[in-house]
Amino acid sequence: MSLPTIPDITPEITLDRCKTINLLLSSIAMEEIGLSHILNAEAEKLQMFIKKSPCDFGYLKINESVNQTLRTVVKSQILLQFKLEDVVTLNQKSCCHPRKH
């Protein structure tokens, strides 16, 4: 058995501080969008359950499931808030403020 060969790759990253901050903000926004889709899916799941089982005793199970998902989303929101605060601090310390013409 031979060892794998790794090609000689020397990637150059050409991002400056301002572009990096913009990418960080974009990634936070994308995570927020993902969380909003999760919340929407939970709402649709709950609506479908209520339509199909208006007198079922599964309410406690569905409530527990939705509650757990909401708790996880809230935890993610807290982490995103911390990330956003850190990026805003980076932005204030850098010279990335928009220039007025």
Side-chain angles (χ1 to χ4, degrees):
M1 182 185 285
S2 64
L3 294 174
T5 59
I6 300 172
D8 185 24
I9 299 174
T10 55
E12 292 184 26
I13 299 174
T14 59
L15 295 175
D16 62 9
R17 187 177 182 95
C18 297
K19 288 179 185 176
T20 304
I21 289 171
N22 287 338
L23 285 173
L24 288 169
L25 289 172
S26 295
S27 75
I28 291 169
M30 294 296 284
E31 286 186 64
E32 290 282 352
I33 290 169
L35 291 175
S36 73
H37 287 289
I38 291 171
L39 290 175
N40 188 50
E42 285 299 302
E44 289 179 7
K45 178 174 79 173
L46 193 54
Q47 289 172 351
M48 189 62 75
F49 175 80
I50 291 171
K51 284 181 185 175
K52 289 189 174 186
S53 311
C55 296
D56 194 359
F57 293 105
Y59 285 113
L60 291 178
K61 286 185 180 181
I62 194 77
N63 183 57
E64 183 179 326
S65 170
V66 171
N67 187 33
Q68 186 61 42
T69 302
L70 291 176
R71 290 174 59 86
T72 302
V73 169
V74 167
K75 291 173 191 175
S76 297
Q77 286 284 319
I78 291 169
L79 292 175
L80 285 175
Q81 179 66 33
F82 290 152
K83 288 180 185 180
L84 181 61
E85 289 170 359
D86 290 343
V87 173
V88 167
T89 301
L90 280 174
N91 190 39
Q92 290 172 347
K93 291 180 179 180
S94 68
C95 300
C96 296
H97 301 291
R99 295 182 183 120
K100 297 181 181 178
H101 297 286

